[in-house]
Amino acid sequence: QVQLEESGGGLVQAGGSLRLACAASGRTFTRGSMAWFRQVPGKEREFVATIGWISGATGYADSVKGRFAIYEENAKNTVYLQMNSLKPEDTAVYYCARTESLRITVNSDDYAYWGRGTQVTVSS
């Protein structure tokens, strides 16, 4: 079984930065990828960024390209999301997720494991 725990959310002014962390435990990862999604009330969960656990290949939603960066620290089984130049529209609950799929995927249905989420609020 895999457990994912997010941390690092909070309140920040527009233009500011936050770094989210997702610590994974329960099983050693040998393939697949990790991702960040976000969700606001009344809307579907939205893909933000993903990273291949072994390859390190990354993918981003157009809305965050150039502002967010996903990276991993394999020794700690931790994935980070560095968020810069934050905008009020980035306000959401951010979720960490894991898939065993060998291909990069932005579809939330492909992710079997999820954290509980961390709130990010960007004030204008």
Side-chain angles (χ1 to χ4, degrees):
Q1 189 67 13
V2 174
Q3 293 85 40
L4 304 176
E5 184 173 1
E6 303 95 338
S7 62
L11 173 64
V12 64
Q13 287 189 333
S17 299
L18 279 176
R19 188 182 76 160
L20 305 182
C22 173
S25 61
R27 193 148 52 96
T28 300
F29 300 141
T30 58
R31 67 175 197 176
S33 57
M34 302 284 287
W36 289 93
F37 288 78
R38 65 188 182 187
Q39 190 170 24
V40 297
K43 291 190 176 181
E44 291 188 356
R45 196 163 292 187
E46 174 190 27
F47 166 77
V48 176
T50 185
I51 185 166
W53 190 251
I54 302 300
S55 69
T58 58
Y60 297 91
D62 288 342
S63 59
V64 306
K65 277 181 183 176
R67 300 188 299 122
F68 290 12
I70 187 171
Y71 60 99
E72 61 191 3
E73 195 168 354
N74 293 41
K76 294 185 177 181
N77 271 355
T78 300
V79 172
Y80 301 92
L81 184 69
Q82 178 66 45
M83 305 186 294
N84 300 324
S85 301
L86 282 161
K87 305 174 181 180
E89 51 263 44
D90 294 318
T91 296
V93 176
Y94 283 71
Y95 296 91
C96 174
R98 167 156 182 83
T99 178
E100 297 288 318
S101 173
L102 295 179
R103 59 181 177 85
I104 293 289
T105 174
V106 304
N107 186 348
S108 61
D109 291 339
D110 293 331
Y111 289 81
Y113 304 101
W114 291 85
R116 293 186 176 185
T118 184
Q119 176 70 46
V120 171
T121 303
V122 184
S123 63
S124 57

